[in-house]
Amino acid sequence: MEKQIEKIFHRPARPGMVGDGFRVFNYFPNEQITQQRISPFLLMDFNAEFDFGPSDHLRGVDVHPHKGFETVTIAYKGAVAHHDSTGNSGVINPGDVQWMTAGSGILHKEYHEKEFSKKGGPFEMIQLWVNLPAKDKKADPKYQAITADQMGKVILPDNGGIVNVIAGTFNNNKGPATTFTPVNMFDIRLNKDGKLSTQITTDFNTILLVVNGEVVVNGAKAGEHDFILFKNEGEEINISANKDSVVLLLSGEPINEPIAQYGPFVMNTHRELQEAFAEFQSGKFGVLE
Ligand code: MN
């Protein structure tokens, strides 16, 4: 049975700035798409393609903390550099994904890569926040730098395009990311008239973003920047492309635990949030200039 669509949302009306480098449309959380409804996902910010002019100053977000969840940064155009308090640093180039486990607490900064800043140009990326179950919220911070060539690659028939499997399993092809709870994350590139079919179990919460192009999903048309929330009914997802399209398909097993959030900290209780804030203030997340 085809997975039923609960609702198709258009792009939010206005972007917000995260620091001075990320011009993002926040698709969730909100009243209609709550963190419980789309667990294990907590947040999705989409920097729809935007042309940043040349700059000597590195636009971005300066040092800030995270604790109790994971941030996943998917770069489509432009390049993002980062540094964190565990000593890790790197550059996320188009097609790459950075999967950072904040776990017990980390400091990091994220900004436009130097050469990209100098030249300026189209910038397009997504940041997702993925929750951790209570038992893993104290996991050691780490990150997975997953480059485009490391993705699970599924070539679709009839020159239909390609599926880059970031995490989970697409039609028996596994992605490289390791996750604490089951998550499927598929970067789908369809050529015009390209098609795919896949199955996602009904109990996984499932969402889809049209990054570029226009597709038909289980009979419903979804245009550029539209966002689909599926019901937890049916398994099959059929996508066909009306034009060359880029689609992000996300699903995951819900974490059925209380969610307490204060800014960049996501725990289970208010008391744990107070502890997290105290830890951050006392320097327990390390040092980053
Ligand atoms: Mn951050």
Side-chain angles (χ1 to χ4, degrees), residues 18 61-62 64-66 71 100 108-110 127 129 264:
V18 179
V61 201
D62 209 351
H64 60 279
H66 291 290
T71 65
M100 183 181 84
H108 79 158
K109 54 184 180 178
E110 305 153 271
Q127 188 165 90
W129 291 11

